[in-house]
Amino acid sequence: MRKIAVRELSRAGRLSVVASAILVSSAAGANEDLMRVAKRIFEPIPSAAPAVRDNPITHEKVTLGKSLFFDSRLSASGVISCNTCHNLGTGGVDAGPRSIGHRWQLGSRRAPTVYNAVFNVAQFWDGRAADLKAQAAGPVQASVEMNATPDHVLKTLNSMTDYVVMFSKAFPNEVAPVTFENFAKAIEAFEATLITPAAPFDQYLEGDEYALSDQQKTGLKLFIEKGCSSCHNGINVGGQDYFRFGIVKRPAEGLLPKEDKGRFAVTKDLGDEYVFRSAPLRNVALRPPYFHSGQVWSLKQAVGVMSEVQLGAKLSDEETDEIVAFLNSLTGQLPKIEYPILPTRTIATPKPSLDK
């Protein structure tokens, strides 16, 4: 176990060592050097939704996906929708540490944000879904979440003429377009549009040196030099790779429950015990509580925990505040979402059920 931890720590530190060397080597042009290094490590969020593999994004598909995202009738109880756990008005997450699902069951982990999820290497904390399409198909069938089945979903959709028409427009080349796969594709298309560009940090990466305050620039420099950017990098400032939670020091049991072994449940590889996908930090200030266990309600406390258990560093109060200031610069422009008017149920629409 110790060898694994050392290897991970070494891997996690390479980028920060190189970046720190660059920053230190050119003190005269500190601001210019910081921007140059930041551009090597991070990317700005684009202003338009990216393409997704094997699923061309069209207006009709996004419109359908939006309705499906908000329609609680797709759940067995008739009260849980995608937006229940991924609330678009609260940073793409819900209010509590663990989401509440069918029959008031608690989920095992904190719901990850749906905003900018299209940029993640995979979906869920353990990466068990390769893309948003696979992710969309999961919760609707999970007994602890929406507790439905593909058959229930299709019966519900086929019972309403408006949905049948919407599927025909979204998938015009198919004879029978109302399928469970197309249901997932439509939600994926909508979720791919849930990007948040134009954060102050994006403007900085695009060349505006005044987009960040001096405190935020100091926080960015610390974020790189201390090694935070070794795991939290790329376009989503995280979400690109998997790391053990507790590389240097095991977190408190409340933050890292023993029974949740992370990616090990997917790979069955002992080296993946307590390994999770690094959290994407875009809009992180909007969505406490933090970590997969959802037990830390302060962003400042979360930074302190990560510095100790991942990097073995004890930050001063001032340094922590500076990193938090930088993290606040990651809040982008959330898309304006108008709640859709959903198709009206018919006598053939399955009735809500609280059965197990």
PDB file of all heavy atoms in Angstrom, residues 194-214:
ATOM      1  N   LEU A 194     -25.112  22.010 -21.215  1.00  0.00           N
ATOM      2  CA  LEU A 194     -25.043  22.616 -19.886  1.00  0.00           C
ATOM      3  C   LEU A 194     -23.599  22.979 -19.533  1.00  0.00           C
ATOM      4  O   LEU A 194     -22.985  22.427 -18.622  1.00  0.00           O
ATOM      5  CB  LEU A 194     -25.632  21.669 -18.843  1.00  0.00           C
ATOM      6  CG  LEU A 194     -27.117  21.320 -19.044  1.00  0.00           C
ATOM      7  CD1 LEU A 194     -27.573  20.324 -17.983  1.00  0.00           C
ATOM      8  CD2 LEU A 194     -27.983  22.565 -19.022  1.00  0.00           C
ATOM      9  N   ILE A 195     -23.069  23.902 -20.287  1.00  0.00           N
ATOM     10  CA  ILE A 195     -21.703  24.363 -20.069  1.00  0.00           C
ATOM     11  C   ILE A 195     -21.741  25.791 -19.527  1.00  0.00           C
ATOM     12  O   ILE A 195     -22.718  26.523 -19.733  1.00  0.00           O
ATOM     13  CB  ILE A 195     -20.858  24.283 -21.355  1.00  0.00           C
ATOM     14  CG1 ILE A 195     -21.485  25.129 -22.468  1.00  0.00           C
ATOM     15  CG2 ILE A 195     -20.740  22.834 -21.810  1.00  0.00           C
ATOM     16  CD1 ILE A 195     -20.645  25.193 -23.733  1.00  0.00           C
ATOM     17  N   THR A 196     -20.691  26.169 -18.825  1.00  0.00           N
ATOM     18  CA  THR A 196     -20.683  27.480 -18.163  1.00  0.00           C
ATOM     19  C   THR A 196     -19.428  28.262 -18.546  1.00  0.00           C
ATOM     20  O   THR A 196     -18.466  28.339 -17.789  1.00  0.00           O
ATOM     21  CB  THR A 196     -20.756  27.311 -16.630  1.00  0.00           C
ATOM     22  OG1 THR A 196     -19.595  26.608 -16.169  1.00  0.00           O
ATOM     23  CG2 THR A 196     -21.992  26.515 -16.236  1.00  0.00           C
ATOM     24  N   PRO A 197     -19.423  28.886 -19.701  1.00  0.00           N
ATOM     25  CA  PRO A 197     -18.242  29.638 -20.150  1.00  0.00           C
ATOM     26  C   PRO A 197     -18.139  30.997 -19.478  1.00  0.00           C
ATOM     27  O   PRO A 197     -18.963  31.377 -18.639  1.00  0.00           O
ATOM     28  CB  PRO A 197     -18.514  29.789 -21.650  1.00  0.00           C
ATOM     29  CG  PRO A 197     -20.006  29.845 -21.748  1.00  0.00           C
ATOM     30  CD  PRO A 197     -20.514  28.893 -20.678  1.00  0.00           C
ATOM     31  N   ALA A 198     -17.111  31.728 -19.870  1.00  0.00           N
ATOM     32  CA  ALA A 198     -16.934  33.150 -19.516  1.00  0.00           C
ATOM     33  C   ALA A 198     -16.720  33.400 -18.031  1.00  0.00           C
ATOM     34  O   ALA A 198     -17.017  34.488 -17.541  1.00  0.00           O
ATOM     35  CB  ALA A 198     -18.114  33.978 -20.030  1.00  0.00           C
ATOM     36  N   ALA A 199     -16.206  32.407 -17.297  1.00  0.00           N
ATOM     37  CA  ALA A 199     -15.789  32.674 -15.921  1.00  0.00           C
ATOM     38  C   ALA A 199     -14.607  33.637 -15.951  1.00  0.00           C
ATOM     39  O   ALA A 199     -13.897  33.732 -16.965  1.00  0.00           O
ATOM     40  CB  ALA A 199     -15.379  31.368 -15.239  1.00  0.00           C
ATOM     41  N   PRO A 200     -14.350  34.356 -14.877  1.00  0.00           N
ATOM     42  CA  PRO A 200     -13.162  35.210 -14.851  1.00  0.00           C
ATOM     43  C   PRO A 200     -11.889  34.443 -15.232  1.00  0.00           C
ATOM     44  O   PRO A 200     -11.021  34.983 -15.932  1.00  0.00           O
ATOM     45  CB  PRO A 200     -13.123  35.697 -13.400  1.00  0.00           C
ATOM     46  CG  PRO A 200     -14.556  35.733 -12.991  1.00  0.00           C
ATOM     47  CD  PRO A 200     -15.176  34.535 -13.664  1.00  0.00           C
ATOM     48  N   PHE A 201     -11.794  33.189 -14.798  1.00  0.00           N
ATOM     49  CA  PHE A 201     -10.599  32.412 -15.126  1.00  0.00           C
ATOM     50  C   PHE A 201     -10.527  32.111 -16.615  1.00  0.00           C
ATOM     51  O   PHE A 201      -9.429  32.081 -17.193  1.00  0.00           O
ATOM     52  CB  PHE A 201     -10.584  31.112 -14.320  1.00  0.00           C
ATOM     53  CG  PHE A 201      -9.315  30.316 -14.479  1.00  0.00           C
ATOM     54  CD1 PHE A 201      -8.081  30.893 -14.263  1.00  0.00           C
ATOM     55  CD2 PHE A 201      -9.354  28.971 -14.840  1.00  0.00           C
ATOM     56  CE1 PHE A 201      -6.903  30.164 -14.414  1.00  0.00           C
ATOM     57  CE2 PHE A 201      -8.189  28.233 -14.981  1.00  0.00           C
ATOM     58  CZ  PHE A 201      -6.960  28.828 -14.771  1.00  0.00           C
ATOM     59  N   ASP A 202     -11.677  31.881 -17.264  1.00  0.00           N
ATOM     60  CA  ASP A 202     -11.682  31.684 -18.715  1.00  0.00           C
ATOM     61  C   ASP A 202     -11.183  32.941 -19.424  1.00  0.00           C
ATOM     62  O   ASP A 202     -10.395  32.862 -20.369  1.00  0.00           O
ATOM     63  CB  ASP A 202     -13.100  31.352 -19.200  1.00  0.00           C
ATOM     64  CG  ASP A 202     -13.573  29.990 -18.744  1.00  0.00           C
ATOM     65  OD1 ASP A 202     -12.804  29.029 -18.854  1.00  0.00           O
ATOM     66  OD2 ASP A 202     -14.711  29.885 -18.261  1.00  0.00           O
ATOM     67  N   GLN A 203     -11.656  34.086 -18.977  1.00  0.00           N
ATOM     68  CA  GLN A 203     -11.223  35.344 -19.578  1.00  0.00           C
ATOM     69  C   GLN A 203      -9.720  35.544 -19.388  1.00  0.00           C
ATOM     70  O   GLN A 203      -9.030  36.052 -20.284  1.00  0.00           O
ATOM     71  CB  GLN A 203     -12.012  36.501 -18.962  1.00  0.00           C
ATOM     72  CG  GLN A 203     -13.520  36.412 -19.214  1.00  0.00           C
ATOM     73  CD  GLN A 203     -14.302  37.438 -18.426  1.00  0.00           C
ATOM     74  OE1 GLN A 203     -13.928  38.612 -18.390  1.00  0.00           O
ATOM     75  NE2 GLN A 203     -15.383  37.015 -17.789  1.00  0.00           N
ATOM     76  N   TYR A 204      -9.221  35.128 -18.248  1.00  0.00           N
ATOM     77  CA  TYR A 204      -7.781  35.209 -17.981  1.00  0.00           C
ATOM     78  C   TYR A 204      -7.013  34.292 -18.931  1.00  0.00           C
ATOM     79  O   TYR A 204      -6.002  34.708 -19.527  1.00  0.00           O
ATOM     80  CB  TYR A 204      -7.528  34.818 -16.529  1.00  0.00           C
ATOM     81  CG  TYR A 204      -6.072  34.827 -16.119  1.00  0.00           C
ATOM     82  CD1 TYR A 204      -5.405  36.022 -15.837  1.00  0.00           C
ATOM     83  CD2 TYR A 204      -5.362  33.628 -15.990  1.00  0.00           C
ATOM     84  CE1 TYR A 204      -4.073  36.026 -15.454  1.00  0.00           C
ATOM     85  CE2 TYR A 204      -4.030  33.632 -15.608  1.00  0.00           C
ATOM     86  CZ  TYR A 204      -3.381  34.826 -15.343  1.00  0.00           C
ATOM     87  OH  TYR A 204      -2.061  34.822 -14.968  1.00  0.00           O
ATOM     88  N   LEU A 205      -7.493  33.065 -19.109  1.00  0.00           N
ATOM     89  CA  LEU A 205      -6.822  32.123 -20.004  1.00  0.00           C
ATOM     90  C   LEU A 205      -6.855  32.601 -21.453  1.00  0.00           C
ATOM     91  O   LEU A 205      -5.999  32.226 -22.260  1.00  0.00           O
ATOM     92  CB  LEU A 205      -7.478  30.743 -19.906  1.00  0.00           C
ATOM     93  CG  LEU A 205      -7.282  29.976 -18.600  1.00  0.00           C
ATOM     94  CD1 LEU A 205      -8.100  28.686 -18.609  1.00  0.00           C
ATOM     95  CD2 LEU A 205      -5.805  29.659 -18.359  1.00  0.00           C
ATOM     96  N   GLU A 206      -7.832  33.423 -21.764  1.00  0.00           N
ATOM     97  CA  GLU A 206      -7.945  33.950 -23.124  1.00  0.00           C
ATOM     98  C   GLU A 206      -7.158  35.242 -23.306  1.00  0.00           C
ATOM     99  O   GLU A 206      -7.225  35.873 -24.357  1.00  0.00           O
ATOM    100  CB  GLU A 206      -9.432  34.153 -23.466  1.00  0.00           C
ATOM    101  CG  GLU A 206     -10.170  32.826 -23.643  1.00  0.00           C
ATOM    102  CD  GLU A 206     -11.678  32.977 -23.676  1.00  0.00           C
ATOM    103  OE1 GLU A 206     -12.171  34.087 -23.361  1.00  0.00           O
ATOM    104  OE2 GLU A 206     -12.354  31.992 -24.006  1.00  0.00           O
ATOM    105  N   GLY A 207      -6.407  35.643 -22.261  1.00  0.00           N
ATOM    106  CA  GLY A 207      -5.476  36.747 -22.422  1.00  0.00           C
ATOM    107  C   GLY A 207      -5.765  38.007 -21.650  1.00  0.00           C
ATOM    108  O   GLY A 207      -4.970  38.962 -21.705  1.00  0.00           O
ATOM    109  N   ASP A 208      -6.877  38.051 -20.908  1.00  0.00           N
ATOM    110  CA  ASP A 208      -7.198  39.250 -20.139  1.00  0.00           C
ATOM    111  C   ASP A 208      -6.549  39.153 -18.758  1.00  0.00           C
ATOM    112  O   ASP A 208      -7.077  38.507 -17.853  1.00  0.00           O
ATOM    113  CB  ASP A 208      -8.715  39.393 -20.001  1.00  0.00           C
ATOM    114  CG  ASP A 208      -9.125  40.659 -19.259  1.00  0.00           C
ATOM    115  OD1 ASP A 208      -8.225  41.415 -18.815  1.00  0.00           O
ATOM    116  OD2 ASP A 208     -10.344  40.888 -19.096  1.00  0.00           O
ATOM    117  N   GLU A 209      -5.406  39.800 -18.588  1.00  0.00           N
ATOM    118  CA  GLU A 209      -4.672  39.688 -17.323  1.00  0.00           C
ATOM    119  C   GLU A 209      -5.384  40.376 -16.167  1.00  0.00           C
ATOM    120  O   GLU A 209      -5.072  40.144 -15.000  1.00  0.00           O
ATOM    121  CB  GLU A 209      -3.264  40.266 -17.471  1.00  0.00           C
ATOM    122  CG  GLU A 209      -3.226  41.752 -17.762  1.00  0.00           C
ATOM    123  CD  GLU A 209      -1.790  42.269 -17.783  1.00  0.00           C
ATOM    124  OE1 GLU A 209      -1.104  42.157 -16.743  1.00  0.00           O
ATOM    125  OE2 GLU A 209      -1.368  42.758 -18.854  1.00  0.00           O
ATOM    126  N   TYR A 210      -6.375  41.217 -16.473  1.00  0.00           N
ATOM    127  CA  TYR A 210      -7.101  41.923 -15.420  1.00  0.00           C
ATOM    128  C   TYR A 210      -8.380  41.196 -15.005  1.00  0.00           C
ATOM    129  O   TYR A 210      -9.124  41.682 -14.150  1.00  0.00           O
ATOM    130  CB  TYR A 210      -7.443  43.338 -15.889  1.00  0.00           C
ATOM    131  CG  TYR A 210      -6.225  44.154 -16.233  1.00  0.00           C
ATOM    132  CD1 TYR A 210      -5.907  44.427 -17.558  1.00  0.00           C
ATOM    133  CD2 TYR A 210      -5.369  44.620 -15.235  1.00  0.00           C
ATOM    134  CE1 TYR A 210      -4.775  45.168 -17.890  1.00  0.00           C
ATOM    135  CE2 TYR A 210      -4.235  45.354 -15.554  1.00  0.00           C
ATOM    136  CZ  TYR A 210      -3.942  45.621 -16.873  1.00  0.00           C
ATOM    137  OH  TYR A 210      -2.817  46.347 -17.193  1.00  0.00           O
ATOM    138  N   ALA A 211      -8.633  40.047 -15.606  1.00  0.00           N
ATOM    139  CA  ALA A 211      -9.851  39.290 -15.276  1.00  0.00           C
ATOM    140  C   ALA A 211      -9.796  38.724 -13.861  1.00  0.00           C
ATOM    141  O   ALA A 211     -10.837  38.497 -13.245  1.00  0.00           O
ATOM    142  CB  ALA A 211     -10.064  38.170 -16.290  1.00  0.00           C
ATOM    143  N   LEU A 212      -8.588  38.489 -13.358  1.00  0.00           N
ATOM    144  CA  LEU A 212      -8.414  37.995 -12.002  1.00  0.00           C
ATOM    145  C   LEU A 212      -7.878  39.103 -11.107  1.00  0.00           C
ATOM    146  O   LEU A 212      -7.059  39.916 -11.538  1.00  0.00           O
ATOM    147  CB  LEU A 212      -7.447  36.807 -11.961  1.00  0.00           C
ATOM    148  CG  LEU A 212      -7.805  35.551 -12.760  1.00  0.00           C
ATOM    149  CD1 LEU A 212      -6.784  34.457 -12.477  1.00  0.00           C
ATOM    150  CD2 LEU A 212      -9.207  35.077 -12.466  1.00  0.00           C
ATOM    151  N   SER A 213      -8.319  39.105  -9.860  1.00  0.00           N
ATOM    152  CA  SER A 213      -7.770  40.045  -8.884  1.00  0.00           C
ATOM    153  C   SER A 213      -6.368  39.587  -8.490  1.00  0.00           C
ATOM    154  O   SER A 213      -5.958  38.452  -8.776  1.00  0.00           O
ATOM    155  CB  SER A 213      -8.669  40.097  -7.649  1.00  0.00           C
ATOM    156  OG  SER A 213      -8.606  38.861  -6.948  1.00  0.00           O
ATOM    157  N   ASP A 214      -5.635  40.453  -7.815  1.00  0.00           N
ATOM    158  CA  ASP A 214      -4.300  40.074  -7.350  1.00  0.00           C
ATOM    159  C   ASP A 214      -4.373  38.881  -6.406  1.00  0.00           C
ATOM    160  O   ASP A 214      -3.517  37.992  -6.453  1.00  0.00           O
ATOM    161  CB  ASP A 214      -3.637  41.264  -6.642  1.00  0.00           C
ATOM    162  CG  ASP A 214      -3.236  42.370  -7.602  1.00  0.00           C
ATOM    163  OD1 ASP A 214      -3.147  42.086  -8.821  1.00  0.00           O
ATOM    164  OD2 ASP A 214      -3.012  43.510  -7.143  1.00  0.00           O
TER     165      ASP A 214
END
